[in-house]
Structures are given as structure tokens and as C-alpha cells.
Amino acid sequence: MTKPFCRFWQRSKWRWYILALFLLSGLALFTGRLGTSGMHSIMAAPIAIIQEASNYNDVTDCVTCENKPSNHVVFIKVHKAASTTVMNVMLRYGLSRNLTIMLPRRYNCINELGTVSKRDVLPSITGKYDILCNHVIYNRTAIASFFPSDTKYVTILREPFEQFVSGFMFYRYVYPVNYLKNFTSANPVHEFLSNPRKYEPANPWYSFTNNRMSLDLGYPDVSFKNMTYLDDFLKSLSKEFDLVMLAEYFDESVILLKRTLNWALKDVLYISSNTFSKYKAQLNISVDDKLAHQQWAKADYALYQYFYDVFWKKVYDQGATFFQEVRTFRYLRKLMTDYCQQNKFKRSSVDLILQATNWSSDITITKKDCQIMLTAELNLIENMKRDYMFKFKDKVTHLLHKNSSWVYDYATKKLKHR
């Protein structure tokens, strides 16, 4: 029996998933739950978790690693997939190291209808950029022309139905778009899914409910009528992206991000941003609604399933210490979040010192760190643009004026508010 089983095990393509499931089951027994989201409460017995982690001597803070931190990162911000929280992490990293961040010329999006071009972004003084994290449609050739060759590419996905409902409610109530305004039933999601094409805009680029994750990542057939491109599309993305995060496993994703980019633990600490659940509880979602959405959003389901498998293969490759680092990270993040929330209205406060672990040296959290984490996306981007205009006004205003008079006027207004 042993030899046939060994041959089966060696040949089975499912062995990675079985091993990953075994590791997750062990984690569930220890913590009382399977890791479903990085945005949940901290686990019990944090002191025991830290003590357990400290028993392992083969883990070091990435500050001391041989590999240098990656200072060139493109983060493709997928709509309604916890991407604003990741964006804040990227912006904080760039600001703390005085990197050149690609900023949109207007509002907080570079281009939701297409890929990046010079007219969409504020000029770089050096000619290249270090970090991109605002909304833009992914196109590797176009984006790569603005970034160094060693740039890392990262994005994030969310379970398709959850992403769809979040987008539907956000663009119906918070940032209303015309095609989602006029539903009359108590359950507009059900009404929409009964006949999506009846409500969808004629131009798919203007839709936030039609395979939006695939569209954000540059799916070539935006009408989604021809699915023959799908396999090649997924394989291409897999080769081009260094990491695809999953919103349902956010803390696990963040630790993978830290390891992929060789960043320090402080660099990836976060406070959840732009969460939206006010209207979701009012919906009476049925199994039929979910089945209807699976038929409507085939590209997004295929995309998510493909990178779900890739994600857990990456986790398995990290080894057993990965989950210990995740638990330690959750504990430290809880301490930081409590500190920031308690001190956000105080004029001054004592810095928080998070003691060293096997994954980090001592971490100092200042009130300024908290302010950046707690600042809304729009306000943070506007403040950064204002600082950019003030810092480089003599070098860039003539370029802005040359490229577009309305952009020059916009920049001038920014400077007047200094």
C-alpha cells in the first residue's frame, strides 16, 4: 500500500493544495478559526503567540537581509478589493523614502478608462517614477515605459460576488453613476442580476459591475463576449505580476507583500481604509443571485480561481514560519491601531514602541505615522500634489503649461493655497 500511495502522491497535481489545507487546518485548531481576512479581530493570547514565534531562530527582519528593499513598485489598484488600504501602504513607503510617486493630474485616478499616458500624470523630474498606486488600466508595455526595469508588479483581487456587491452599492450610493441610480425594488442587486445587459452602459469601460477586476487588469475583449482570450490572459498575468494579493486573506497577503518586496514590518502596517458596508446588510442575497452572477462575470471568476491557487502555492512555499509571522503581525497591528485611534484627536502624544520580534527590530509609531494611515485617500493625494507643486514649481510649471493650459491653471490654484 505504501509504494502505490507514494507514486500517487508524487504524481498528483493536488498535493500542494492538500499540504496547504493541512497547514491551514492546523492553524484553525490553534486559533479557533481559519484565516479568512486580515481585517478581523486579533487572535487570543498574543503574548503566547510572540513567545512561540521567538522560539524560531531562522527568521530575520528583512532590514538585515542580503537583498535590498524594492523601491520600484507598480500596484494595480483594482476597484473595491481592499486596494485603498494597500495604496496607503505604498504611499507611506514612498513618502518615507522620498521616492518619486506617479500622481494623477486631476482627482485621484490616473485613468479608469485606459492605460497611463504623459497627459494623465504630473511630470517626473528624473524622467522615471518609483511607485504607481492610483487607478489605471493595466497595460504592461505602456506602464513599463515610465518605470525602471527592476520594478515589481503587484495587484489584489477579491471574491467576485463580494467585489460586485461592494462596487454596486458604492457606485449607487456613495459615488453615484447614472446606470445604477434608478432601481425601484427593495433589492436592487437582484433586480440588476435578473437582466444585467438591460442596465449596463453601452460602453463597457464605464461599467463598475461587468467583470471589473478583469477589465482593470487589461482583459483584451472588454465586451466579454469572446472568452477565448481567457487562458492566455491568465497565463500572461501570472508571468508579469510578482504578487497577486487576495482581499479575503489580507494579512497573509500583506506578509507575502513584505517578503516579495523585502520591506520591513513597519512598512506594511496598516489601518483599514475606505471600507463600506452600510447598505449591504439590507440586501437579501439568494443562492440564485450568486449563480446568476457566476454566469454574468465568468472572466472574474476564472481570474480569481486561477490566482487563488497561485496564492496558496506561494504561501506553502514560504514554510511553517509564515503563519507565525502573520500572527505576530496581527498582534502588532492591533497595538498600533488602538494607539492611533486613541490619539488621533490629541495635540501631542508619546510615541508607541513595538518591541522587537524575530521579524522586526523595535518599531516606533509616531503621531505622524498615524495621521497618514488615517487620512482619506482623496485628501492624501491632494496634499501630495500640493507639496509636489510647491517643491518643483520652477521646474514643472512650464511643462504643464506646454502640455495643457487647464492643467497649468489647476497647478497654479494649488500653489495659491500654500
Side-chain angles (χ1 to χ4, degrees), residues 333-377:
R333 194 182 80 80
K334 176 64 164 58
L335 295 179
M336 180 208 68
T337 301
D338 290 345
Y339 165 81
C340 289
Q341 295 290 356
Q342 291 167 8
N343 291 280
K344 63 181 177 180
F345 297 118
K346 295 181 180 179
R347 291 188 175 182
S348 61
S349 58
V350 178
D351 292 346
L352 172 66
I353 306 298
L354 300 174
Q355 294 184 353
T357 71
N358 278 38
W359 292 272
S360 63
S361 53
D362 285 351
I363 295 174
T364 300
I365 303 296
T366 66
K367 187 173 182 180
K368 184 177 180 181
D369 292 325
C370 294
Q371 287 174 337
I372 297 176
M373 290 187 202
L374 292 168
T375 301
E377 173 190 348

Side-chain angles (χ1 to χ4, degrees), residues 131-253:
I131 289 179
L132 181 156
C133 55
N134 287 87
H135 281 301
V136 69
I137 303 299
Y138 176 67
N139 179 302
R140 183 56 173 259
T141 302
I143 293 173
S145 66
F146 292 89
F147 288 86
S149 59
D150 63 348
T151 297
K152 300 285 188 180
Y153 287 77
V154 178
T155 190
I156 187 168
L157 300 174
R158 185 177 181 180
E159 192 283 319
F161 188 75
E162 292 294 316
Q163 188 272 342
F164 158 74
V165 172
S166 179
F168 186 100
M169 302 307 278
F170 183 85
Y171 288 103
R172 174 172 165 80
Y173 293 107
V174 180
Y175 190 82
V177 293
N178 289 331
Y179 79 98
L180 295 178
K181 287 181 180 179
N182 299 321
F183 293 96
T184 57
S185 69
N187 188 345
V189 168
H190 175 78
E191 186 178 350
F192 173 87
L193 288 173
S194 65
N195 188 1
R197 296 198 184 278
K198 175 181 176 181
Y199 304 103
E200 280 287 316
N203 186 341
W205 289 109
Y206 291 95
S207 173
F208 296 98
T209 50
N210 183 5
N211 291 281
R212 185 68 212 200
M213 293 191 293
S214 297
L215 192 151
D216 283 338
L217 291 175
Y219 190 71
D221 177 24
V222 296
S223 68
F224 299 102
K225 294 179 180 179
N226 186 347
M227 304 301 287
T228 58
Y229 298 104
L230 192 56
D231 287 343
D232 290 341
F233 172 68
L234 296 176
K235 291 176 183 177
S236 177
L237 291 180
S238 184
K239 292 178 182 178
E240 294 177 4
F241 277 86
D242 297 279
L243 175 64
V244 177
M245 305 167 70
L246 298 180
E248 287 71 33
Y249 303 91
F250 195 79
D251 284 344
E252 292 87 348
S253 293

Side-chain angles (χ1 to χ4, degrees), residues 67-115:
N67 294 331
K68 293 181 179 180
S70 297
N71 286 343
H72 307 134
V73 184
V74 166
F75 172 66
I76 299 301
K77 191 174 187 287
V78 169
H79 286 79
K80 310 313 299 175
S83 58
T84 299
T85 302
V86 182
M87 177 186 185
N88 187 279
V89 169
M90 296 289 171
L91 292 177
R92 285 192 349 259
Y93 184 87
L95 289 170
S96 68
R97 288 156 178 81
N98 198 31
L99 301 179
T100 302
I101 299 171
M102 179 178 279
L103 294 172
R105 289 191 173 182
R106 301 191 76 184
Y107 309 118
N108 65 322
C109 297
I110 292 174
N111 193 341
E112 288 185 300
L113 305 178
T115 193

Side-chain angles (χ1 to χ4, degrees), residues 51-67:
Q51 289 175 343
E52 179 189 353
S54 66
N55 292 330
Y56 290 82
N57 297 318
D58 60 338
V59 185
T60 58
D61 179 15
C62 70
V63 172
T64 62
C65 290
E66 293 182 4
N67 294 331

